[in-house]
Amino acid sequence: MNANDLLMGGGTKSAAFPSIGTVVTGPIVREPKVQQQTDPKDGSFKTFANGDPMMQLVVQIQTTERDPADPDDDGVRALYVKAKMLAAVRDAVRTAGAKGLEVGGELTVTYVADGEKTNKAFNAPKLYTATYRPPTGEAANNLLMGAAPVSPAPAAQPTAGTPAAAPAGVAPAGVDPAIWAQMSAEQKSKLLAALGHPQ
């Protein structure tokens, strides 16, 4: 068990963003919490140079992901929302006209690009876009009462003869046009595929 497992009460897997185009999405299943960041090396709490704690928002969502090596995997993933992801989620909540994240709300986070590497000792920061759909009363009540969440309808698949979407075209919904403009054709193609857009 690592420090984050302990913080989350044990067992909740972290959402992973291994490559550009990765999308993590699902309804929020527990009230989001604010917690202090921990160092993955030793589990110690992270602070700024002045001693102030470095905080993060922890959001647990019900995904369709399953670890085949873990028969007890229920698909719940913890998003550790901080830095660039925090800004993306904040913008998504504002765009949705919501006051914050709520149980039953649908949160989608997409890894869209790498930022500028400013320190040789660290990897380039990951850049994200996010969308948020506030909960309906029914969705929130189902989750609070332990009922299975209602999965969103799958994205419509292109039919034969549908024109291919040009990767260099207009940024898809939820993607910052400035970030889109900086992405390579390959990155755009991967992102469009992850979002269910025709290629």
Side-chain angles (χ1 to χ4, degrees):
M1 177 183 294
N2 63 27
N4 285 332
D5 287 337
L6 180 61
L7 284 172
M8 296 307 299
T12 303
K13 296 179 181 294
S14 299
F17 294 89
S19 60
I20 291 172
T22 299
V23 179
V24 176
T25 185
I28 298 171
V29 296
R30 295 183 183 88
E31 195 70 29
K33 296 182 179 180
V34 176
Q35 297 175 341
Q36 189 169 354
Q37 296 180 36
T38 56
D39 189 324
K41 295 179 181 178
D42 58 13
S44 60
F45 289 110
K46 297 177 72 173
T47 61
F48 292 101
N50 65 358
D52 289 343
M54 299 176 70
M55 306 303 288
Q56 64 187 348
L57 181 64
V58 185
V59 185
Q60 294 190 39
I61 63 175
Q62 179 66 59
T63 74
T64 57
E65 298 178 24
R66 296 294 187 276
D67 180 354
D70 181 2
D72 296 323
D73 185 1
D74 59 3
V76 175
R77 296 292 184 268
L79 282 167
Y80 294 91
V81 184
K82 54 193 175 184
K84 302 294 184 182
M85 188 187 295
L86 180 63
V89 172
R90 181 187 298 120
D91 288 345
V93 171
R94 288 174 176 165
T95 299
K99 295 182 178 179
L101 298 174
E102 299 180 72
V103 171
E106 177 110 8
L107 180 61
T108 300
V109 177
T110 306
Y111 170 25
V112 295
D114 289 324
E116 183 178 353
K117 187 173 182 178
T118 57
N119 189 321
K120 294 181 179 180
F122 299 98
N123 294 328
K126 292 180 178 180
L127 302 180
Y128 303 91
T129 60
T131 59
Y132 177 64
R133 185 173 61 190
T136 62
E138 181 181 0
N141 287 335
N142 284 345
L143 287 166
L144 287 170
M145 297 306 294
V150 178
S151 298
Q157 296 299 313
T159 56
T162 300
V170 178
V175 177
D176 186 327
I179 293 176
W180 178 258
Q182 297 173 7
M183 295 172 69
S184 68
E186 181 181 0
Q187 291 171 335
K188 290 176 179 178
S189 180
K190 287 182 179 179
L191 178 56
L192 287 171
L195 294 176
H197 288 261
Q199 298 294 298

